Amino acid sequence: MDVVERAYRQRTVASAQHSNWATNFMPAGETRAAGYHRPYPLAIAHGAGAHLTDVDGNDFWDLSGNYTSLVHGHAHPLIVEAATKAIRGGTGWPACNRDQAHLAELLVNRVTSVEQVRFTNSGSEAAMLAMNMARVVTGRPKILMARFGYHGSHEVFEHGSFGGQMSTPMSDHPYLFEYNNPADVEQLLADHGDHIAAVFLEPVMGSAGIVTATQEFMTRVQAAARKNGSLFVIDEVITFRLDEHGAQSKYDIDPDLTLFAKTIGGGFPVGAVGGKHVHMAVLDPRSPRIFHSGTFNGNPVSMAAGRVSVEHLTDWRIAAMARLAERLESNLLDSAARHQVPFSVRRNGSLMNIYFTADLPAANLARADGSTMSLAHLSGLNHGLYFASRGMLVLSTVMTEDDIANISERFDAVMADVAHHLETTTA
Ligand code: PMP
């Protein structure tokens, strides 16, 4: 066992005990695949602002924000107030609540392509609903998505997220294209267009490693989808934090449907599909073509918290986060150079992904630095930095310049660990 893992085990005895106990009742003691890492994940006891505390009492800068959803950090006072008020009023009602319409109105006012909204309980559900809507609207069965793109945990989308490597037997696997390769999309639509209901696309591939779409790619994919009569679906689950009007506003596009989740729930479970009246009409219960229901759709707590979260996510806060992220990126590059560690970063606004190679891989699943990344991840935890095990780093609006300086110092210690690891493994 290397020094980094030994230090991790020494600092996280209660998490290890938790993991051993929980593994009796849950696969690997976990309940979401992305949160698992070796030798065992932390058990968290508390979150406050930009900090997490584990069950051993260790404190961490939270650079995950629950995988980008906590854009205002943990237990933000405005969100706690709105959610607490909602909880006191009863957490689930069998009919409409006013915050649903307020949040829908906010999304419609902010995102130009969105004329109406339907809420779900997660981004995965939103993607499933959009797939169903596209099938009903077009009368076609198939989906086109990016290899390594991510649209949640329905098996059709997971097939694409894992580059077609998942073992689920299925008859309706999606067609996969290479991200930022418009000719690939055009060719697939030319070959299989009659079957393709929708093209799903992230403006920035998030879990694949913060890979940003080019304008040319967006324009050509939209044009090819339109020409083929397929719906153009933009997944803003992660990217809505990049612009008040959504990342789609940075491109000259007008998608048919947009997926939301994470930040629009203020830290509570949520998802949504937004789109044009003409397509949203398939959900209209007065003449439904899809009977889409859900006990917790638009529940009063998620809606109240989400409304405050979105209202608080203003352009100036988004710009301030991006400036801090730029500072962090440059500090990390300096630190890596000082320690002579091969290193690169992909960043878009407050989202970034780090790599321990001089050249950027096409996507996370194609990276060659897996063992170095795992070591850096554990080292980060040892130095009080919580970030996703594949190197995604995310800021929140409650972080300050001093916080970034402190985080950067801790990363310098991570770089020292990585340099030592590289020396000893290549010697
Ligand atoms: N789409 C994207 C781009 C995502 O990043 C995610 C979650 N990481 C989802 C969809 C699924 O959202 P959820 O986890 O809420 O189901």
Side-chain angles (χ1 to χ4, degrees):
M1 196 192 313
D2 64 43
V3 282
V4 170
E5 184 176 329
R6 194 172 317 127
Y8 177 76
R9 287 179 183 274
Q10 277 165 1
R11 287 166 53 85
T12 58
V13 173
S15 280
Q17 280 164 354
H18 171 84
S19 182
N20 284 338
W21 169 58
T23 298
N24 293 317
F25 316 111
M26 299 191 289
E30 254 294 355
T31 197
R32 60 203 286 195
Y36 183 80
H37 60 83
R38 288 178 198 283
Y40 50 83
L42 296 177
I44 302 295
H46 192 73
H51 291 267
L52 281 170
T53 309
D54 69 9
V55 290
D56 287 275
N58 296 307
D59 177 73
F60 304 87
W61 287 108
D62 185 2
L63 294 160
S64 160
N66 197 15
Y67 289 83
T68 78
S69 55
L70 290 165
V71 67
H72 306 303
H74 297 272
H76 189 285
L78 290 174
I79 295 177
V80 169
E81 190 189 323
T84 308
K85 196 167 155 226
I87 289 167
R88 291 219 169 92
T91 54
W93 305 332
C96 308
N97 65 70
R98 295 182 72 80
D99 280 325
Q100 291 170 350
H102 280 301
L103 182 53
E105 184 180 30
L106 257 176
L107 296 176
V108 167
N109 286 343
R110 283 193 175 197
V111 183
T112 316
S113 69
V114 172
E115 295 172 354
Q116 284 191 316
V117 172
R118 169 61 67 95
F119 290 107
T120 63
N121 299 295
S122 67
S124 298
E125 278 181 41
M128 285 156 57
L129 177 61
M131 174 163 64
N132 196 358
M133 289 170 71
R135 285 169 166 169
V136 166
V137 166
T138 62
R140 300 171 181 168
K142 290 281 202 179
I143 295 302
L144 205 60
M145 68 176 278
R147 198 157 77 95
F148 305 133
Y150 194 78
H151 306 291
S153 53
H154 186 281
E155 67 267 23
V156 166
F157 297 113
E158 278 195 335
H159 180 90
S161 307
F162 292 91
Q165 302 301 309
M166 295 299 276
S167 55
T168 314
M170 61 169 78
S171 56
D172 65 345
H173 61 80
Y175 292 111
L176 305 182
F177 56 83
E178 297 303 317
Y179 198 75
N180 274 337
N181 183 342
D184 208 14
V185 180
E186 289 159 354
Q187 191 61 52
L188 282 163
L189 282 165
D191 291 347
H192 309 285
D194 286 355
H195 302 292
I196 295 173
V199 183
F200 278 67
L201 193 58
E202 294 165 89
V204 179
M205 283 208 292
S207 57
I210 315 300
V211 187
T212 300
T214 63
Q215 175 65 60
E216 191 203 346
F217 180 56
M218 281 288 198
T219 311
R220 282 175 60 183
V221 173
Q222 171 170 284
R226 286 271 141 80
K227 188 168 153 230
N228 190 60
S230 308
L231 297 200
F232 183 43
V233 184
I234 287 289
D235 186 332
E236 294 259 16
V237 167
I238 281 188
T239 55
F240 188 57
R241 61 154 52 227
L242 297 177
D243 194 293
E244 257 188 36
H245 308 285
Q248 60 188 259
S249 68
K250 296 173 192 284
Y251 298 89
D252 186 18
I253 54 168
D254 184 29
D256 298 297
L257 298 178
T258 297
L259 312 181
F260 301 93
K262 305 215 191 227
T263 49
I264 70 153
F268 289 85
V270 81
V273 178
K276 308 284 182 202
H277 287 118
V278 58
H279 302 317
M280 298 302 287
V282 300
L283 300 170
D284 188 330
R286 291 168 296 193
S287 53
R289 296 182 65 201
I290 295 175
F291 186 84
H292 169 253
S293 213
T295 306
F296 295 105
N297 289 359
N299 71 78
V301 185
S302 296
M303 295 296 103
R307 181 183 169 190
V308 174
S309 172
V310 174
E311 281 168 351
H312 202 64
L313 189 62
T314 53
D315 271 341
W316 73 264
R317 287 199 174 90
I318 291 171
M321 274 194 295
R323 275 196 300 277
L324 292 183
E326 194 181 349
R327 171 92 51 92
L328 179 59
E329 176 185 11
S330 119
N331 291 348
L332 293 181
L333 288 164
D334 287 351
S335 184
R338 255 196 323 279
H339 290 281
Q340 297 184 316
V341 166
F343 185 73
S344 49
V345 182
R346 277 201 175 99
R347 185 177 71 79
N348 190 321
S350 57
L351 302 169
M352 64 176 102
N353 209 101
I354 57 173
Y355 302 88
F356 290 94
T357 42
D359 299 323
L360 290 163
N364 263 331
L365 285 181
R367 60 195 293 170
D369 61 342
S371 65
T372 311
M373 185 63 241
S374 298
L375 178 117
H377 170 247
L378 275 195
S379 163
L381 294 175
N382 290 343
H383 295 292
L385 300 171
Y386 190 102
F387 53 88
S389 57
R390 289 193 300 192
M392 192 204 272
L393 311 182
V394 183
L395 302 199
S396 59
T397 60
V398 291
M399 287 176 176
T400 64
E401 286 188 12
D402 285 349
D403 295 348
I404 296 302
N406 188 296
I407 289 166
S408 302
E409 273 173 35
R410 290 162 188 264
F411 262 112
D412 201 62
V414 173
M415 293 294 179
D417 281 350
V418 171
H420 180 255
H421 166 78
L422 293 176
E423 258 168 43
T424 46
T425 50
T426 52

